[in-house]
Amino acid sequence: MKISRDGILSADPGDPPLTHVPTRRTSPLQTIKPLALVQHWTASGADDTRGHRDSLALARWIADPRSDAKASWHVLIDRDGTVIQSASFTVGTWHVGKGGTVEGHVSENVNLCTIGLELENLGQLHPDGEGLCAWPFGARAPHVGGGAATRLVAADGSATWWHSYTAAQEASFEKLARALVTRFGWKASAFRYGHVDFDSPRKIDPGPLWLVVRERVLARVFLGGGA
């Protein structure tokens, strides 16, 4: 996987499927290049009233200028590993909208100095009469089978359930991470940002399971390279 000078991904033989669904919901960067990758989960599948039951449909809805979407991102990784790019890495997208410090740079809006990555995932799950229920925890909420969920037990013995990330998502993230390192010269620290870091407690994504996946990938990408 490579990134062109104008910030567009291309796939090499053996790379995961790649598609482009451009959005106009972008803003100019306020830095010479993006400084870091902010990771989110999509919770896609939770709202079937608008027809975005899968990643591609969600990306198309976000990109449609007629929609009432108020968000956008650069890249979305589907559970099957498909990579969907919606904006060039030379512009900002609307994925956080909060201020913060990124790699030592203080910004009034981290959208203007970062890349937004969405991971198709339903986040924290709650048990109900039908099994494990995802947000919005109501009649339309999707349910997750035990094979796609992970139970975490805290030190005090309390347990929580989370939608698992897939091996295909991990592999695609690694390809993307390597491409970003090659294009922008990032260190491992540039990959250690999530939505939670800028908008807690309102946002908790990408959740504890992704932190494990992320560190496993970074260990491979930066092995012997100062991770």
Side-chain angles (χ1 to χ4, degrees):
M1 189 168 284
K2 296 183 178 67
I3 302 171
S4 68
R5 290 183 63 84
D6 57 356
I8 302 300
L9 283 167
S10 62
D12 293 323
D15 281 346
L18 170 67
T19 188
H20 295 87
V21 183
T23 179
R24 293 189 290 181
R25 292 179 168 91
T26 63
S27 303
L29 286 178
Q30 291 186 346
T31 50
I32 295 174
K33 66 177 183 178
L35 303 179
L37 183 76
V38 181
Q39 293 122 69
H40 310 252
W41 59 39
T42 62
S44 60
D47 183 358
D48 59 0
T49 63
R50 292 179 174 174
H52 31 97
R53 297 281 303 175
D54 59 68
S55 293
L56 186 57
L58 180 58
R60 287 171 174 161
W61 178 74
I62 289 290
D64 188 344
R66 299 168 299 177
S67 78
D68 61 352
K70 296 179 175 62
S72 60
W73 51 76
H74 292 83
V75 174
L76 189 159
I77 299 179
D78 190 277
R79 291 185 68 76
D80 69 2
T82 297
V83 177
I84 303 169
Q85 184 174 20
S86 292
S88 163
F89 299 136
T90 62
V91 298
T93 55
W94 307 352
H95 56 101
V96 175
K98 300 288 184 178
T101 301
V102 179
E103 297 298 276
H105 173 79
V106 179
S107 176
E108 77 233 7
N109 186 341
V110 298
N111 292 348
L112 307 179
C113 63
T114 61
I115 290 171
L117 170 65
E118 294 282 346
L119 300 147
E120 186 184 354
N121 187 277
L122 292 168
Q124 188 170 3
L125 307 171
H126 294 258
D128 68 3
E130 299 179 38
L132 294 170
C133 173
W135 180 90
F137 316 130
R140 291 185 294 101
H143 285 77
V144 175
T150 299
R151 184 173 182 262
L152 297 181
V153 180
D156 62 2
S158 61
T160 52
W161 287 92
W162 303 82
H163 196 198
S164 304
Y165 291 95
T166 68
Q169 287 178 306
E170 179 173 343
S172 294
F173 176 67
E174 181 170 345
K175 292 280 189 177
L176 176 63
R178 292 184 184 277
L180 290 167
V181 169
T182 298
R183 179 68 179 83
F184 298 117
W186 285 354
K187 298 179 180 179
S189 57
F191 294 91
R192 294 192 172 110
Y193 296 90
H195 201 165
V196 62
D197 296 307
F198 304 105
D199 200 4
S200 175
R202 190 178 75 91
K203 294 291 186 178
I204 60 172
D205 51 319
L209 297 185
W210 182 250
L211 304 189
V212 176
V213 174
R214 183 174 72 192
E215 290 307 309
R216 190 161 60 221
V217 168
L218 293 180
R220 294 195 295 266
V221 171
F222 290 94
L223 182 62

